[in-house]
Amino acid sequence: MADLLNQDIMYAPGVGPRRKELLSKELGIQTFGDLLEYFPYKYVDRRRVYLTTELLESMSFIQLKGKILSFEAFDMGARKKRLVAHFSDGHGVVDLVWFAGTQHVVKNYHIGEEYIVFGRPTVFNGRFQITHPEIEPAATAQLSTMGMQPHYHTTEKMKKAGFSSRTIERITKGMLQRMAEPLPETLPPFITGPLHLVSRDTAMRLIHYPQDATDLDQAKHRLKFEELFYVQLNILRYASDQRRKYRGYVFRHVGQFFNDFYHKHLPFSLTEAQKRVIREIHADMKSGRQMNRLLQGDVGSGKTLVALMTTLIAIDNGYQACIMAPTEILAEQHQSTISQLLQGMGLRVELLTGIVKGKRRQAVLDGVADGSIHILVGTHAIIEDPVRFFRLGVAVIDEQHRFGVAQRAKLWEKSLNPPHVLVMTATPIPRTLAMTIYGDLDVSIIDQLPPGRKPVYTQHKYDDQLTSLYQGIRRQVLAGRQVYIVYPLIKESESLDLRNLEEGYETMRQVFSQFKLSKVHGRMKPQEKEEEMRKFVAGETQILVSTTVIEVGVNVPNASVMVILDAQRFGLSQLHQLRGRVGRGAEQSFCILVTTRKLSKETAKRIDIMCSTNDGFLIAEADLKLRGPGDLEGTQQSGLAFDLKIADIARDGQIVQLARDQAQKIIDGDPNCDNPANHILWQRLAALRKTNINWGAIS
């Protein structure tokens, strides 16, 4: 059976070299096994035959049984014809319409013969019609065994070559009929039995040809579980190997620096959530195993303070710490904030970014190497070769999705043992997604905002209401506040009717001529961008006109208004991140979402969610359901938009948890992967690792 599954798809009946090339290039299908795992995206019930008198415009696909009464052809100019067959089941008449392949229709379908007709009904000139229907003689149609007909995604190139969903269905059906032996099982009985999972062979046959909804549910559940189970097994095995392979520094001591800071330098009392997270972090750091922890917290929840107190535990135990940020501006802000908080404590906090050069840079490198620098804050410059730590005990990585796996791994080379790692993100990640993307990390969540923080008031305005918006902005600036105005694009796009940032900036300069403006976008030279941002941070300019480059990390407590133009072009998580740039001071802040009046249902839903809640986790869950995991901020660019063939992390949360629990049992009971009972699992995992799934990115 394995030989059949590995056979070149070219040799499947109905394929051949030309179709093999299409299947390979367009869908990545090269073997029988690949085709078997190319699952239908929808099913249409082919068991019921409707009467013409039952038809409604709202119906998707229907089936009729009747005879062709006559044909009628209409010229449509330049050798184009529309062919209409008047079709009746004895109760009424519908028109069957073709715009192509008309000669084939006239040659093969005959007046007076009985046919089964299948397609989508529409109304034209007051009559029901079905365009390009599927037709087969009623005498040979096996309606009782048809069940639910599968439909497969095809590309435009395939359609032009006459390679339709029906073609894939016929090839798949032929292949399943050739499979005399059952497909090999990929899960052991001690998993499939208690979970009441059908066999892999049954699932594969039913997923392509279910007779009813029960068949389909059983097949989907089995295949989704298997897919998610092996993803989780791979992640947990990797995490288990790492923990056994690398011992962590033991930081039992919570000493002078931590206690001095806690009792004398804290700017405000820690929330209960912050205290809980610090306890979780310290438990890791004194356990003897290397900490790999993800710290999630909404914008303004106090993650930086938790990170600072984590570094103080390392310093109390005689080690150094580093904090890596994705941009120079964010690194500078961290360094400035931490230096102020630690003032008078005798600790040296230095900055290392691309702009730190010459003697100043050498002094930093020397201080890191001799241990006189306690905390090094910087960008990816920290992981460059010249940087050598005296004793690096903990590394904090801010907005981790901006750093690749290889970049993070270079941090480990900076120390005798790998340092404890605390990864921070202000992009809330739904639990099921975190379990899969960051499955090898322990997760801590700060789910409280510090007292006194006022929720940002979010309002939706249409682009024909800008006059009142401008008046509101003027009032805020005259009251001493600052304003962000965000555009989605830099250059005008012919395909998308978006405001142009350059034109928008000029418009804003005219509208707000009495104020000073900054402009920032991704294509500016780094020095120009940094200078414009510096002016805004310092309060030298009142309005910052920008693209989404200000999305992560910029902290301007005096900014109280975020205006997002063409907000319909942004995803929920991105809107929430942008909104997080305001609401950082004591004053009430505002986020204004400006859209056109023509909004799709999905877009209107996104805007409503933004206006109704400030909870980043609720927003992330909604975003995951609306857009799927591959589109979420941070997952696409870091290679984590893994190609799941049937499971959907947004909608299959319970199966993700079930798969995780089962995989954890296997790892706990067989950490060395040498139990013969689990041989089938390790064998299958090894086979999957050879596929094109980016397992390294997943874990």
Side-chain angles (χ1 to χ4, degrees):
M1 180 55 70
D3 290 343
L4 178 63
L5 294 178
N6 292 324
Q7 195 170 326
D8 193 318
I9 195 66
M10 183 171 77
Y11 302 109
V15 179
R18 186 168 148 271
R19 282 184 166 173
K20 180 251 169 88
E21 190 180 349
L22 272 174
L23 282 169
S24 177
K25 281 187 178 175
E26 298 298 297
L27 303 179
I29 294 171
Q30 301 191 41
T31 65
F32 281 31
D34 292 340
L35 182 65
L36 208 55
E37 291 188 357
Y38 189 68
F39 301 119
Y41 71 97
K42 71 174 182 182
Y43 302 82
V44 176
D45 194 339
R46 293 295 302 265
R47 292 166 300 169
R48 176 165 179 196
V49 176
Y50 287 84
L51 300 177
T52 49
T53 50
E54 294 178 292
L55 297 189
L56 299 168
E57 275 191 81
S58 58
M59 289 176 168
S60 50
F61 289 91
I62 53 95
Q63 212 162 220
L64 301 171
K65 185 178 181 181
K67 296 177 181 179
I68 295 174
L69 303 178
S70 62
F71 284 106
E72 204 172 349
F74 300 88
D75 279 325
M76 296 180 66
R79 295 191 294 179
K80 288 185 178 179
K81 281 190 175 181
R82 176 167 66 99
L83 180 66
V84 177
H86 304 297
F87 183 85
S88 174
D89 62 352
H91 298 272
V93 177
V94 299
D95 291 339
L96 311 180
V97 183
W98 292 268
F99 295 96
T102 54
Q103 289 180 333
H104 172 83
V105 172
V106 173
K107 183 180 175 183
N108 288 281
Y109 304 125
H110 309 294
I111 292 169
E113 287 188 17
E114 196 169 42
Y115 295 101
I116 298 293
V117 167
F118 174 77
R120 187 192 292 273
T122 56
V123 173
F124 179 71
N125 285 342
R127 281 175 71 135
F128 274 104
Q129 67 174 30
I130 301 174
T131 305
H132 286 274
E134 290 181 17
I135 301 183
E136 57 185 310
T140 56
Q142 297 174 306
L143 293 181
S144 60
T145 60
M146 265 189 181
M148 299 170 76
Q149 185 180 16
H151 283 247
Y152 302 84
H153 280 300
T154 54
T155 65
E156 283 304 313
K157 215 171 188 179
M158 293 174 76
K159 286 170 187 165
K160 282 179 184 172
F163 203 145
S164 65
S165 165
R166 196 67 193 271
T167 315
I168 293 177
E169 183 204 334
R170 288 184 184 125
I171 296 167
T172 306
K173 189 173 189 177
M175 197 175 79
L176 286 167
Q177 287 170 344
R178 284 180 65 192
M179 284 166 36
E181 296 173 38
L183 283 166
E185 188 49 81
T186 49
L187 292 172
F190 62 79
I191 289 179
T192 56
L195 296 181
H196 307 291
L197 300 174
V198 297
S199 69
R200 181 171 171 81
D201 183 76
T202 300
M204 279 298 190
R205 292 177 191 276
L206 292 182
I207 199 72
H208 291 286
Y209 286 98
Q211 285 299 308
D212 51 37
T214 304
D215 280 357
L216 187 56
D217 286 345
Q218 285 185 322
K220 278 186 173 178
H221 185 70
R222 155 67 203 232
L223 295 170
K224 284 179 177 185
F225 173 84
E226 179 181 329
E227 188 168 47
L228 292 168
F229 171 78
Y230 278 107
V231 168
Q232 294 297 335
L233 188 65
N234 185 71
I235 290 167
L236 292 172
R237 179 179 169 180
Y238 168 84
S240 173
D241 287 350
Q242 294 297 100
R243 282 172 186 149
R244 284 184 295 119
K245 188 175 174 183
Y246 298 107
R247 291 203 55 74
Y249 296 118
V250 180
F251 294 161
R252 289 195 183 89
H253 190 54
V254 176
Q256 176 196 337
F257 290 116
F258 185 96
N259 286 312
D260 192 25
F261 178 77
Y262 183 75
H263 293 294
K264 298 177 185 174
H265 294 262
L266 263 183
F268 45 75
S269 298
L270 296 178
T271 62
E272 287 306 313
Q274 285 173 309
K275 289 177 184 175
R276 183 191 71 241
V277 168
I278 290 168
R279 284 195 295 269
E280 289 169 354
I281 288 168
H282 186 226
D284 279 355
M285 294 172 87
K286 67 182 181 183
S287 69
R289 66 181 178 86
Q290 187 221 3
M291 174 174 75
N292 275 294
R293 187 166 285 277
L294 172 68
L295 175 57
Q296 288 196 70
D298 219 336
V299 172
S301 60
K303 295 184 300 299
T304 306
L305 204 53
V306 169
L308 173 55
M309 295 180 80
T310 301
T311 67
L312 293 176
I313 294 173
I315 294 166
D316 272 334
N317 285 272
Y319 285 78
Q320 296 163 287
C322 72
I323 299 176
M324 268 177 75
T327 66
E328 291 189 348
I329 290 171
L330 189 51
E332 284 175 27
Q333 286 190 346
H334 279 327
Q335 195 263 342
S336 172
T337 302
I338 290 167
S339 295
Q340 286 170 22
L341 288 168
L342 298 179
Q343 208 163 14
M345 288 183 61
L347 292 174
R348 189 176 169 196
V349 182
E350 293 290 351
L351 180 72
L352 186 65
T353 67
I355 59 171
V356 178
K357 297 185 186 300
K359 288 181 181 177
R360 187 181 161 204
R361 188 180 191 86
Q362 192 56 52
V364 171
L365 294 175
D366 292 344
V368 170
D370 66 23
S372 61
I373 290 177
H374 300 92
I375 302 173
L376 181 65
V377 183
T379 54
H380 61 273
I382 288 177
I383 59 174
E384 290 171 2
D385 289 339
V387 182
R388 283 278 170 260
F389 284 87
F390 179 64
R391 289 175 97 190
L392 180 62
V394 66
V396 177
I397 302 172
D398 197 9
E399 290 304 333
Q400 99 90 30
H401 64 261
R402 304 296 169 107
F403 297 103
V405 175
Q407 286 177 304
R408 296 200 305 277
K410 285 190 88 171
L411 264 176
W412 291 25
E413 299 166 14
K414 302 291 180 188
S415 191
L416 188 63
N417 283 341
H420 294 295
V421 175
L422 181 67
V423 165
M424 300 197 300
T425 180
T427 307
I429 303 157
R431 229 179 99 268
T432 52
L433 190 59
M435 216 185 285
T436 309
I437 292 179
Y438 302 115
D440 59 321
L441 302 179
D442 298 307
V443 179
S444 288
I445 296 174
I446 303 178
D447 49 11
Q448 278 177 291
L449 289 179
R453 279 283 173 109
K454 292 178 181 173
V456 178
Y457 176 70
T458 306
Q459 190 180 8
H460 177 206
K461 278 188 178 286
Y462 294 108
D463 53 11
D464 54 11
Q465 300 173 318
L466 293 180
T467 306
S468 64
L469 173 62
Y470 295 156
Q471 288 169 352
I473 290 172
R474 276 193 197 92
R475 282 195 298 272
Q476 287 289 311
V477 177
L478 290 170
R481 310 278 166 258
Q482 288 169 278
V483 178
Y484 296 100
I485 298 176
V486 176
Y487 285 81
L489 283 187
I490 299 164
K491 281 190 173 177
E492 194 169 337
S493 166
E494 291 176 4
S495 60
L496 300 173
D497 184 22
L498 301 179
R499 290 175 185 78
N500 176 278
L501 179 96
E502 301 289 351
E503 287 179 8
Y505 176 68
E506 291 305 319
T507 302
M508 294 304 161
R509 279 181 64 187
Q510 291 168 21
V511 171
F512 302 112
S513 55
Q514 71 270 48
F515 306 131
K516 290 181 180 175
L517 280 70
S518 285
K519 175 180 69 176
V520 174
H521 59 73
R523 293 187 194 161
M524 291 169 72
K525 289 178 181 174
Q527 297 90 333
E528 294 173 346
K529 193 163 51 177
E530 301 283 339
E531 177 57 19
E532 290 293 293
M533 288 299 307
R534 187 201 62 75
K535 285 181 189 172
F536 188 68
V537 170
E540 294 170 23
T541 54
Q542 289 86 43
I543 297 172
L544 176 63
V545 180
S546 168
T547 57
T548 56
V549 292
I550 49 92
E551 181 185 336
V552 173
V554 181
N555 184 25
V556 185
N558 192 46
S560 63
V561 181
M562 167 62 70
V563 178
I564 305 173
L565 297 162
D566 286 308
Q568 72 273 10
R569 301 293 182 190
F570 295 88
L572 267 175
S573 287
Q574 203 171 27
L575 289 172
H576 181 63
Q577 284 292 304
L578 288 167
R579 176 168 63 184
R581 298 307 104 221
V582 295
R584 293 170 165 252
E587 301 299 321
Q588 177 64 59
S589 291
F590 305 88
C591 177
I592 315 298
L593 307 175
V594 182
T595 72
T596 61
R597 286 193 178 268
K598 287 183 180 178
L599 297 178
S600 67
K601 279 185 184 177
E602 187 183 294
T603 304
K605 193 173 178 183
R606 281 207 305 269
I607 301 296
D608 286 346
I609 290 166
M610 282 297 297
C611 292
S612 64
T613 182
N614 277 271
D615 187 325
F617 288 94
L618 284 179
I619 286 166
E621 288 285 357
D623 203 23
L624 184 59
K625 284 182 176 142
L626 285 169
R627 301 205 290 159
D631 295 328
L632 284 189
E633 175 62 27
T635 60
Q636 198 86 57
Q637 62 264 46
S638 58
L640 295 167
F642 34 86
D643 180 23
L644 295 175
K645 291 178 180 171
I646 192 166
D648 181 334
I649 289 174
R651 294 169 181 84
D652 297 326
Q654 284 184 310
I655 304 178
V656 173
Q657 186 64 62
L658 183 65
R660 176 83 169 185
D661 293 344
Q662 291 296 317
Q664 189 67 63
K665 282 182 192 174
I666 300 297
I667 295 296
D668 290 345
D670 188 12
N672 297 314
C673 310
D674 53 12
N675 185 340
N678 295 325
H679 178 67
I680 186 175
L681 300 176
W682 306 127
Q683 197 175 33
R684 175 68 174 164
L685 190 58
L688 287 169
R689 280 174 173 275
K690 292 175 186 173
T691 66
N692 59 0
I693 296 175
N694 189 351
W695 293 96
I698 290 174
S699 61

